[in-house]
Amino acid sequence: MTSRTNGEDRKPRLRADAARNRAQILAAARTAFRELGTAAPLDEIARRAGVNIATLYRRFPDREALVQQVVIDGFTLVIEAARHALDAAPQDSLAAIEGFLLRLVDARDILVLPLIGGPVPTTREAVELQAQTALLLEQLMSRARSQGTIRPDATHMDLITTAALTCRPMPYLPTEQAATLATRHVHIFMDGLRPNGTRPLPPSPTHEELSVHLHAGPAES
Amino acid sequence: MTSRTNGEDRKPRLRADAARNRAQILAAARTAFRELGTAAPLDEIARRAGVNIATLYRRFPDREALVQQVVIDGFTLVIEAARHALDAAPQDSLAAIEGFLLRLVDARDILVLPLIGGPVPTTREAVELQAQTALLLEQLMSRARSQGTIRPDATHMDLITTAALTCRPMPYLPTEQAATLATRHVHIFMDGLRPNGTRPLPPSPTHEELSVHLHAGPAES
């Protein structure tokens, strides 16, 4: 091998190392945020990721950058699941909605920060992803309503609420049993979502109404 | 007034002051635990309660004593709501179950720590209250099953899961709108709880199975 070949080999390896470090830092951040809140010490996150604190700062200049990336990763996963459900909806929209919820329950370790109840997205990218999520989920629910597979008064707000509630960590339960309880909850919720002629739901706040408050900081305290 | 009368007056006033201090400390602890986790600084809790840190330590010798009292207050409220629902169950067990859930949603500021997902009760009193809660809720669900108002495969574990999920704080939402979303979720869940002949639920872990893990500390991380 010539030194030129070595040099060409090294660059992809460095990029691969950097990508692995980044992924390890994000995984450690999600665990630490879940256990200790978003105020978790950055050196604790670096320690859990097995990287130097300087490496952490090279990837994420401050806590906010790390928090926002975790938010973005969460929304990206939700959007993928929503697109998948929309593709499946023409055949069976009720199964598509349930599949969406169960897919999120399965991947809930990634969903530490997004959705209602998590910290507020503040970057332009996160806010756009949030709006896109709401749009895709309303398309999904709207298709199900027009197919008559769900009650006419259920909206994407109910889907977001349910995803947020069932995906929040239950840190004191073993993963498998927590997933079983969440799955039972999703099944019962799905049966309640059918158009079964019971009383109408109380009116839902709109996504826009909530977004105003979401960007104004914590309100319930 | 004689000094004797004064002395008799002072004791009840001192006891009233002590009770007020205690209630203020517990309210401040609930808010701080919700916002910052159970590692919230005790001097921050004293500050929010408007009392001296020495007063806090006089009422609660350490953090654990404060955490356990918040747990006990939560279970006490859940037990009251469960007894109320059991009293109402002979007339309409479905409405009694819904009333139980909505009562907890209404009082969810008190329910920061108990139920699945919260920290583990360790004192004998808290463990007994937890067992009592499970027993009362299974009586409630059992009565509803025998009346045929709920699906035969729903258990008190589903009720505990639902209460825990819907009562967890949504700190970034305004109280009223968070309550509306939780109420819609409870209504949909209740409709799913009816015996409507859909597929059976996946088998639930028992309360005993979970308790083993609950007392062994965090498992999902």
Side-chain angles (χ1 to χ4, degrees):
Chain A
M1 269 194 243
T2 66
S3 67
R4 189 169 160 269
T5 312
N6 262 342
E8 279 178 348
D9 271 3
R10 201 176 297 133
K11 269 192 187 166
R13 184 157 355 117
L14 279 179
R15 280 198 296 270
D17 283 353
R20 205 187 52 237
N21 278 345
R22 190 183 155 84
Q24 284 167 338
I25 293 166
L26 285 166
R30 282 191 293 266
T31 311
F33 291 163
R34 191 166 57 221
E35 290 174 11
L36 310 168
T38 48
L42 293 184
D43 55 359
E44 169 68 14
I45 292 172
R47 196 190 60 74
R48 290 177 183 215
V51 304
N52 196 292
I53 183 77
T55 306
L56 186 148
Y57 277 118
R58 208 173 314 128
R59 306 286 161 232
F60 301 97
D62 55 23
R63 175 187 309 280
E64 189 54 22
L66 192 52
V67 166
Q68 290 300 324
Q69 190 58 51
V70 171
V71 170
I72 285 169
D73 289 351
F75 275 121
T76 303
L77 192 139
V78 174
I79 286 173
E80 278 169 18
R83 288 223 173 93
H84 192 272
L86 263 175
D87 286 345
Q91 284 76 52
D92 184 345
S93 50
L94 200 67
I97 293 168
E98 178 171 284
F100 167 79
L101 287 171
L102 292 180
R103 186 177 279 241
L104 296 192
V105 166
D106 225 39
R108 69 193 185 288
D109 280 357
I110 310 291
L111 302 173
V112 183
L113 294 183
L115 298 174
I116 288 166
V120 182
T122 52
T123 63
R124 189 197 179 90
E125 185 181 2
V127 170
E128 282 175 8
L129 287 174
Q130 187 184 33
Q132 198 182 339
T133 304
L135 193 68
L136 288 169
L137 294 181
E138 182 45 29
Q139 283 172 12
L140 180 61
M141 294 297 269
S142 161
R143 181 159 300 183
R145 282 194 305 265
S146 67
Q147 285 181 1
T149 58
I150 63 167
R151 55 201 301 161
D153 52 357
T155 76
H156 69 297
M157 293 304 296
D158 298 307
L159 201 48
I160 294 175
T161 301
T162 305
L165 296 181
T166 51
C167 289
R168 292 173 89 180
M170 301 186 188
Y172 287 92
L173 291 187
T175 306
E176 199 188 323
Q177 295 181 322
T180 302
L181 289 174
T183 300
R184 286 175 65 95
H185 187 80
V186 166
H187 280 208
I188 296 174
F189 173 81
M190 289 307 302
D191 285 338
L193 211 52
R194 292 166 189 272
N196 44 21
T198 54
R199 3 149 248 185
L201 300 173
S204 175
T206 66
H207 203 269
E208 291 66 33
E209 279 166 357
L210 290 182
S211 294
V212 173
H213 295 283
L214 284 174
H215 295 287
E220 190 186 58
S221 64
Chain B
M1 269 194 245
T2 68
S3 65
R4 189 169 162 271
T5 314
N6 261 341
E8 280 178 348
D9 272 0
R10 202 176 297 133
K11 269 192 187 165
R13 186 162 347 123
L14 279 179
R15 280 198 297 271
D17 283 353
R20 204 186 54 236
N21 278 345
R22 191 182 156 85
Q24 284 167 338
I25 292 166
L26 285 166
R30 284 191 293 266
T31 311
F33 291 163
R34 192 165 60 221
E35 289 175 12
L36 310 168
T38 48
L42 292 184
D43 55 0
E44 169 69 14
I45 293 172
R47 195 189 59 74
R48 291 179 183 213
V51 305
N52 197 292
I53 184 76
T55 306
L56 185 148
Y57 278 118
R58 208 173 314 128
R59 307 285 162 232
F60 302 97
D62 55 22
R63 175 187 309 282
E64 190 53 22
L66 193 51
V67 165
Q68 290 300 324
Q69 190 57 52
V70 171
V71 170
I72 284 168
D73 288 351
F75 275 121
T76 304
L77 192 138
V78 174
I79 286 172
E80 279 170 17
R83 289 224 174 91
H84 192 270
L86 263 174
D87 286 346
Q91 284 75 52
D92 183 346
S93 50
L94 200 67
I97 293 169
E98 179 173 282
F100 168 77
L101 287 171
L102 293 180
R103 186 176 279 242
L104 295 192
V105 166
D106 225 38
R108 70 193 184 288
D109 280 357
I110 311 291
L111 302 172
V112 183
L113 296 183
L115 297 175
I116 289 167
V120 183
T122 52
T123 63
R124 188 196 181 89
E125 184 182 1
V127 169
E128 282 176 6
L129 287 174
Q130 187 184 32
Q132 200 182 340
T133 304
L135 193 70
L136 287 170
L137 293 181
E138 182 45 27
Q139 283 172 12
L140 179 61
M141 294 296 271
S142 161
R143 179 159 302 182
R145 282 195 305 266
S146 69
Q147 285 181 0
T149 58
I150 64 167
R151 54 200 303 161
D153 53 358
T155 77
H156 69 298
M157 293 304 296
D158 299 307
L159 200 49
I160 293 175
T161 301
T162 305
L165 296 181
T166 50
C167 289
R168 292 172 89 181
M170 302 186 187
Y172 286 93
L173 291 187
T175 307
E176 198 189 323
Q177 296 181 322
T180 301
L181 289 174
T183 300
R184 286 175 65 95
H185 187 79
V186 166
H187 280 208
I188 297 174
F189 172 82
M190 289 308 301
D191 284 339
L193 211 52
R194 293 165 188 272
N196 44 20
T198 55
R199 12 158 236 177
L201 299 173
S204 174
T206 66
H207 203 267
E208 291 67 31
E209 280 167 357
L210 290 182
S211 294
V212 173
H213 295 283
L214 284 175
H215 295 288
E220 189 186 57
S221 63

